[in-house]
Amino acid sequence: MYHTLTALYSQLHKKYFLQHEYHLKCLNAVESRLFYYPCKTCIMPLDHNNYHEENMTASKRNVYLKTIPLNEAVAKTQAALDRDLLLRSKMVPTHEAAGRVLSEAVFAEFSSPTFHSAAMDGIAVIAKETFTAREGAPLRLTKGVSYLPVNTGNPLPEGYDAVVMIDENTVEIETPAFPWQHVRRIGEDIVATELLFPQNQQISAYDIGALLSAGIWEVRVWEKVRVCIIPTGDEVLDFEKRPTPKPG
């Protein structure tokens, strides 16, 4: 049995005798007790009693990677990153900030509107002077004396505090106006010094309008994240070179 195995092994794996002398040692020990044991390099009969651990060392596969759970891998990666170095902030013009993420909170510089303005076309009046107007007993108003014409968005004339939707030189009203009727008061949309957006807010196109209305011409945002992919191994090909698929 021993000579048969030796001859067969010699024919099939002659080159391995030169590279792995421990195989011969194993074959020499077959006479004591023979059983089949899978070798890391090839399959051969080995003697379990006389085959020592040191003989297996040479045939072990060279494993240089060790897998770990995904959560552990992510935690180690995050711990190794220097956030301050990798993710810095920069100032960008507000009108170019769409899609960017704020690195700090933004507070309004100005109120919006910055003055009392007419909310619609009509006439500016002093509300308390219209309180006597009643249905059936209209109050007559005269241009330049008891009212001034205004258009939507116009600043409210000094001393006036309401707008009536009429466009005539001489008018009669049957309903009194109340203070700040049809008037957009200072800070109706935005009040100076109020918080507009918190840190890490992603700026939308709508947000840009609010920022500009509040007098914010530049905002500080996080730099765009840069990702570098380093492929390894010659099995990864550069598609830009339009490679032809082939073995090897």
Side-chain angles (χ1 to χ4, degrees), residues 52-192:
H52 300 291
E53 183 63 28
E54 59 268 23
N55 292 330
M56 283 292 293
T57 303
S59 64
K60 284 185 177 179
R61 184 179 176 188
N62 182 22
V63 179
Y64 55 91
L65 295 178
K66 179 183 178 182
T67 60
I68 59 176
L70 179 59
N71 291 341
E72 182 180 347
V74 172
K76 286 187 175 182
T77 302
Q78 291 177 336
L81 295 177
D82 186 339
R83 182 180 178 86
D84 294 333
L85 179 62
L86 295 177
L87 198 59
R88 294 171 292 189
S89 63
K90 61 182 295 186
M91 295 294 292
V92 299
T94 299
H95 65 279
E96 297 178 0
R100 303 300 291 271
V101 178
L102 294 174
S103 63
E104 61 184 16
V106 178
F107 296 86
E109 292 286 340
F110 307 137
S111 295
S112 177
T114 56
F115 50 84
H116 300 314
S117 62
M120 55 188 61
D121 296 346
I123 58 173
V125 299
I126 300 173
K128 66 181 182 180
E129 293 181 358
T130 68
F131 290 168
T132 59
R134 294 289 184 275
E135 185 176 353
L139 175 66
R140 178 177 293 273
L141 303 176
T142 304
K143 181 180 179 181
V145 178
S146 50
Y147 78 87
L148 292 174
V150 291
N151 292 321
T152 302
N154 286 164
L156 206 61
E158 185 70 27
Y160 291 77
D161 60 1
V163 173
V164 178
M165 292 186 295
I166 297 177
D167 188 11
E168 300 290 344
N169 287 333
T170 302
V171 300
E172 292 182 347
I173 60 173
E174 295 183 336
T175 303
F178 55 84
W180 308 115
Q181 172 181 294
H182 303 317
V183 175
R184 296 186 65 232
R185 302 183 67 179
I186 293 175
E188 181 176 294
D189 295 333
I190 299 171
V191 176

Side-chain angles (χ1 to χ4, degrees), residues 19-59:
Q19 299 175 2
H20 308 288
E21 295 182 357
Y22 62 87
H23 287 304
L24 291 176
K25 296 179 183 179
C26 296
L27 285 175
N28 292 333
V30 169
E31 292 178 335
S32 59
R33 182 188 299 181
L34 183 67
F35 80 106
Y36 293 93
Y37 185 90
C39 177
K40 294 293 184 179
T41 305
C42 55
I43 303 300
M44 61 174 288
L46 299 176
D47 176 16
H48 185 266
N49 289 339
N50 297 322
Y51 185 74
H52 300 291
E53 183 63 28
E54 59 268 23
N55 292 330
M56 283 292 293
T57 303
S59 64

